[in-house]
Amino acid sequence: MSRFGYLPHTDEDRAEMLRALGLERIEELFVDIPPSLRLNSALDLPKPMPELELGKHMEGLSRKNRHLGQLVSFLGAGAYEHYQPSVVDAIISRSEFYTSYTPYQPEMSQGLLQAIFEYQTMIAELTGTDIANASMYDGVTALAEAALVACQHTRREKIVVSGTLHPEARRVLQTYANGQAIRMIEVRHDGGLVDTASLAASVDEETACICIQYPNFFGGIEDVREIAELAHARGALLVVQTYPIALGLLEAPGAMGADIVVAEGQPLGISLSYGGPYLGVMAVKEPLMRRIPGRLVGETTDAQGRRGVVLTLQAREQHIRREKATSNICTNQSLCAIAATVFLAYMGKEGLQELARQNYHKAHYFRARLLEVPGVEPLFDAPFFNEFTVRLSRPTADVQRDMLDRGYLFGYDLGKDDASLEGGVLVAVTEVRTRGDMDEAVAAIKEVLAQ
C-alpha cells in the first residue's frame, strides 16, 4: 500500500505533496473559500487509542444499541423482520458473488449474469409483468425512477400520487419531480384507502401516471383494477409500489393492469441492517422495455450454438449518450438481488404462499387481541395483509417508550407525518412472531394504557 493511500499522512508526506504542488502551506489550497466558512480550530476528537483499547471502546458503544435479538418488533412501515434462511448468506458470501462488480465481460461473468437473469425472471413472474431489471438503489428511489419512466413514455409532466403512499416515498417523489419540472398532485385518503372520486377528478390528459401502494402504507389493500382502468382511460400509466411477501397471497399488480411495479426487496432474504443496503425492484410491461433504467440481462447463443447470458440493454448514462439516458443510476445492487434470488428459489411457490398466509393470519390474530384491550380502537377498517392501524388512548410516543422499556418495538407513530392521525399506530406482524410474543405484548400494552 502506498503511503499516500489509506494510511494517515506524516508531516514528511504532507511536505512532499506541497512541494509537488508548488505550495508552502496547506491553507493556500483554500484561498477561494471565505474565512467565515472555514474551521479555524482543531477537530474536537479524542486522543488516539491503542488497538486493544479501541476495540473495547467500540464494543462499549455497540452495547448502547438494542437489536432485534433483544426486542420483539411490531415495527414495519417499509422495512420488515422476516425469516432469513441460512442458505442465503452461505451462497452470497462466496467470493464469485461477494466481490463481483458489473459483469462487463460476459465470457468472464456467466455465473453472475445467469444469477441476475434468474432474478429478473422470478421478479417478472412474481409481479405479473413481462420484464424486470437489475441495479436499482432501493424501493423508494425505484418508485421515483418509475414515475420518470412514465413521464418519458407518455411525454407528459404530471403525476398523481395517492395519499396512502408511504410519506417518505411521497417526499422522495416530490424531490425527483422538482428536479425534472414535473407537477405532482397528491390525492387524499378516505378510511385508509385512496379516495377514488378525488383520484378520478385529478387525472386528465396531462397525467403521465398514477402512483399507488399495494398493500398501502396503512396496510389497506387498494382496488388496483379500478385504478388501472381509471388511469388507462386517460392515457396514463399505473405505477404500483408493492410488498413482495404479500404477493404470495394477493393478486399480482401486473395481472390487474399495473404498467410498472416497484418494490423494496429487503423482505426477500435481506437483513434490516440499520437501513441498508437494500434492493430496488422494478418490473414493467413489454412496451416500456427500452425505457426502464438500470440493466437487462438476456439469453443468447455463442458461435458454437451454446446457451449464453449477456447484458442486453443498458439505458443508463454510463453506457449511452447522456441525453438519451433514462436515468443516472450507476450503482450495482447485484449482491442484494442474488440474495433475493436465493431466497425465492429456496422458498419456492408453495413456501412463499405459506409465508404470506402466516403473515396474514398472525396479523389478524394480533389485531383482534389488541382490540380487546381498553384504550385500543381501530383507526381504519379496510382489508389488510400484515399491517394494520389502531388508535391509542395515551400519547403514542409515551406508549412506545413504555413498551420499549418492556422489550417491545410497538409500531410506527402515524402522528409524526399527519397531525390528524395523532394517537394512531401502524402495527406490523410477520411470520417470526409467535402466539406467545403476541399474547405477552397484549398483556404489556394493557398495563401501559392503564397507567
Side-chain angles (χ1 to χ4, degrees), residues 110 113 117 120 296-300 307-313:
Q110 283 298 290
L113 284 165
F117 180 79
Q120 293 176 178
L296 296 180
V297 175
E299 284 188 315
T300 187
R307 176 181 180 270
V309 196
V310 295
L311 285 175
T312 303
L313 288 174

Side-chain angles (χ1 to χ4, degrees), residues 133 135-137 141 144-146 148-149 152 176 180 282 291-294 314-331:
N133 71 354
S135 295
M136 305 299 290
Y137 292 116
T141 53
E145 293 283 347
L148 297 186
V149 168
Q152 292 159 359
Y176 271 65
Q180 299 284 334
M282 179 183 282
R291 297 283 186 185
I292 191 169
Q314 302 174 80
R316 65 188 188 130
E317 53 84 18
Q318 181 177 340
H319 300 290
I320 62 178
R321 286 177 295 178
R322 182 167 300 183
E323 68 274 12
K324 298 287 186 180
T326 59
S327 170
N328 68 349
I329 286 284
C330 55
T331 189

Side-chain angles (χ1 to χ4, degrees), residues 153-173:
H153 182 73
T154 61
R155 299 188 179 184
R156 300 176 179 181
E157 296 181 344
K158 173 184 169 183
I159 61 176
V160 176
V161 177
S162 167
T164 58
L165 199 63
H166 196 302
E168 293 175 3
R170 282 181 271 145
R171 289 196 287 270
V172 171
L173 269 172

